[in-house]
Amino acid sequence: MLFPVLRSANNWLDNSFNDFFNDGWMAKARATAPSINVKENEHEYEVEVAAPGMTKEDFNLSISDEGNLVIKMEHKNEQKDENKEEHYLRREFSYTSYQQALALPSDVEAEKIEAKVEDGVLRVVLPRKAEEQKTQRRIEVA
């Protein structure tokens, strides 16, 4: 008998076949959080988020009610294969979803925050408020 482990027509993909694809030869992709850098100078903070393959349409940035900078990114990559001579036994779609909330320092001008995606990196510039000039003055006692 050539096919000793032939199941019903509806379940022909037996466990040994599934084990073949789950043994590390075709390891499942593991989701990880993107790397984030935060820099500062006297004028601004800059947040950099590693985002290879992402476009500006994949991002949604907002300020939450709690005053946090919320960075959301979502990217779907669906490829269509029109080859009629073969079919997939296993196919995993590329889908990335990530959300991070960062507490904004008290000296950030939230209404002037800017963001752009360039060379696979999301850069968010958080301008600092100008320091108020503190003036010393003598107060007369009456």
Side-chain angles (χ1 to χ4, degrees):
M1 184 162 161
L2 286 173
F3 303 102
V5 184
L6 185 61
R7 308 209 188 244
S8 72
N10 292 334
N11 191 13
W12 65 273
L13 205 60
D14 71 341
N15 287 337
S16 61
F17 186 82
N18 284 333
D19 290 344
F20 174 75
F21 285 104
N22 291 327
D23 71 352
W25 181 74
M26 281 183 68
K28 285 192 173 254
R30 299 211 180 349
T32 59
S35 299
I36 295 179
N37 296 327
V38 180
K39 302 185 291 187
E40 73 170 315
N41 62 42
E42 62 185 82
H43 303 290
E44 65 192 19
Y45 300 94
E46 184 176 350
V47 178
E48 299 173 322
V49 180
M54 300 288 185
T55 64
K56 67 179 187 174
E57 289 78 19
D58 297 325
F59 289 95
N60 182 340
L61 277 68
S62 62
I63 305 294
S64 71
D65 292 338
E66 295 82 23
N68 296 327
L69 172 65
V70 179
I71 301 171
K72 295 179 185 178
M73 71 181 190
E74 182 176 34
H75 181 75
K76 296 177 185 177
N77 185 14
E78 296 181 15
Q79 298 176 347
K80 293 187 178 185
D81 188 358
E82 301 299 326
N83 187 347
K84 303 291 184 198
E85 296 178 15
E86 58 188 28
H87 62 277
Y88 289 96
L89 297 177
R90 176 175 170 169
R91 183 174 182 181
E92 295 184 7
F93 293 93
S94 174
Y95 176 79
T96 303
S97 179
Y98 169 77
Q99 179 173 327
Q100 176 76 42
L102 303 171
L104 290 177
S106 60
D107 64 342
V108 168
E109 288 192 65
E111 54 283 338
K112 293 185 179 179
I113 294 174
E114 295 179 357
K116 71 177 180 176
V117 177
E118 187 175 68
D119 298 328
V121 176
L122 169 70
R123 286 185 175 77
V124 183
V125 177
L126 310 165
R128 288 181 154 179
K129 295 177 184 173
E131 281 190 38
E132 296 178 17
Q133 295 293 332
K134 296 181 181 179
T135 58
Q136 294 182 355
R137 79 177 244 253
R138 182 175 161 93
I139 301 172
E140 292 290 329
V141 179

